[in-house]
Amino acid sequence: GCEYCMGSESRANQPISIRATVEILRRIRMMAADETESDLALSNYYYRVGAMLAVLTAGSLRGYEGFYVCLAGLRKHLRSGKNGAVPADYNFHTLFSEDDARELPHVVITLLGAFKAENGSDYHMINVANVTTSGLQVRWWVEKLVSVCESEGRFRGPAFAGPDGKLESSLDYDATFREVAKEVQGDTDTEWIPSDLDVDGCLGLSRTPRKTAETRAKQAGVSTQIQDAMNRWRTGKVRTT
């Protein structure tokens, strides 16, 4: 009762390095593969958690936004950008027109719901690289997510849902993410996650992937204007279909 009346201290999620994110995804993928024969449901769950981390980081999304990813939209646009090509004269700071961007290798993340500037009836579409320069294999994870959902007999509705079609728990996803993050933290050969970082208190899917993406963008010299176009949907042009 005392804590309820007085409130409690909370800490904002912190970013981690992209290398740490890639390693977490690698370990989640191994965990899922190890459970394929003995516990398929657990294996599929791990694949969904990995896909959530990949989508949130690549799309610079907040944790709750990942649960708006629409399975039907993913399936509809899954082949878009699969065989795209990068122009020979490309450099990191090249700005492409919308038409040119469609020809690049990318995967389409589709979100559906009454949030941000959306009305709940149109997709918000985010095109991200199939494989980022930092090594995030976004297309692999999205295709695996779709495959897992289809194997459970689901073809529409929220992508991050269990076999019954109900949204899964963000707390469960967080717990799995932190569990693997602690394993990476314990690897003294890499030190990609500082040993003195309080993983339980400072890391979470709510904000860590978004802040990781923002930090990586700043390191890569991505302009604030481009970051705002990605992150602040209300102030930018919203593409719907």
Side-chain angles (χ1 to χ4, degrees):
C2 225
E3 182 178 352
Y4 177 79
C5 293
M6 297 176 61
S8 58
E9 181 181 357
S10 63
R11 285 175 285 180
N13 286 169
Q14 295 184 15
I16 56 178
S17 70
I18 286 291
R19 288 183 300 176
T21 301
V22 171
E23 177 62 15
I24 290 172
L25 286 170
R26 186 187 72 83
R27 292 181 183 231
I28 293 176
R29 183 171 175 174
M30 290 178 59
M31 291 164 59
D34 289 343
E35 296 292 346
T36 300
E37 298 296 331
S38 59
D39 191 339
L40 183 58
L42 181 58
S43 174
N44 288 346
Y45 166 78
Y46 285 144
Y47 280 128
R48 286 193 291 272
V49 174
M52 174 68 86
L53 176 57
V55 165
L56 293 180
T57 305
S60 192
L61 297 171
R62 298 181 180 91
Y64 76 90
E65 291 169 342
F67 288 101
Y68 285 106
V69 174
C70 175
L71 178 56
L74 291 183
R75 296 178 67 243
K76 178 180 179 180
H77 298 282
L78 192 59
R79 295 193 61 82
S80 297
K82 185 177 179 68
N83 299 313
V86 178
D89 59 349
Y90 166 81
N91 68 69
F92 188 78
H93 297 286
T94 301
L95 293 179
F96 295 97
S97 68
E98 186 172 343
D99 289 338
D100 289 339
R102 290 195 185 98
E103 303 303 318
L104 296 173
H106 67 274
V107 62
V108 182
I109 310 299
T110 55
L111 297 93
L112 183 65
F115 67 107
K116 296 292 188 182
E118 303 294 351
N119 57 22
S121 62
D122 296 323
Y123 291 131
H124 178 86
M125 300 169 65
I126 304 174
N127 296 345
V128 297
N130 288 337
V131 181
T132 71
T133 56
S134 304
L136 289 177
Q137 298 180 337
V138 189
R139 173 168 286 278
W140 187 92
W141 281 104
V142 171
E143 290 184 343
K144 191 63 180 180
L145 173 63
V146 170
S147 174
V148 163
C149 292
E150 291 177 344
S151 73
E152 296 173 337
R154 298 193 298 110
F155 303 94
R156 60 183 59 85
F160 292 103
D164 59 0
K166 296 180 180 178
L167 283 175
E168 292 187 298
S169 167
S170 61
L171 295 179
D172 289 343
Y173 277 36
D174 252 344
T176 302
F177 168 66
R178 290 180 178 131
E179 173 190 347
V180 183
K182 288 177 183 177
E183 293 179 5
V184 175
Q185 184 183 47
D187 188 345
T188 56
D189 292 334
T190 62
E191 297 185 348
W192 287 334
I193 297 180
S195 59
D196 60 348
L197 179 69
D198 178 6
V199 170
D200 288 326
C202 297
L203 300 186
L205 289 177
S206 175
R207 288 280 188 165
T208 292
R210 167 75 167 262
K211 291 188 175 181
T212 297
E214 292 175 341
T215 299
R216 172 58 181 148
K218 290 177 182 177
Q219 292 172 343
V222 177
S223 70
T224 301
Q225 180 182 10
I226 293 177
Q227 291 186 58
D228 286 348
M230 189 75 173
N231 294 334
R232 299 179 182 178
W233 300 348
R234 283 190 183 278
T235 58
K237 179 182 178 182
V238 177
R239 179 188 172 190
T240 58
T241 185

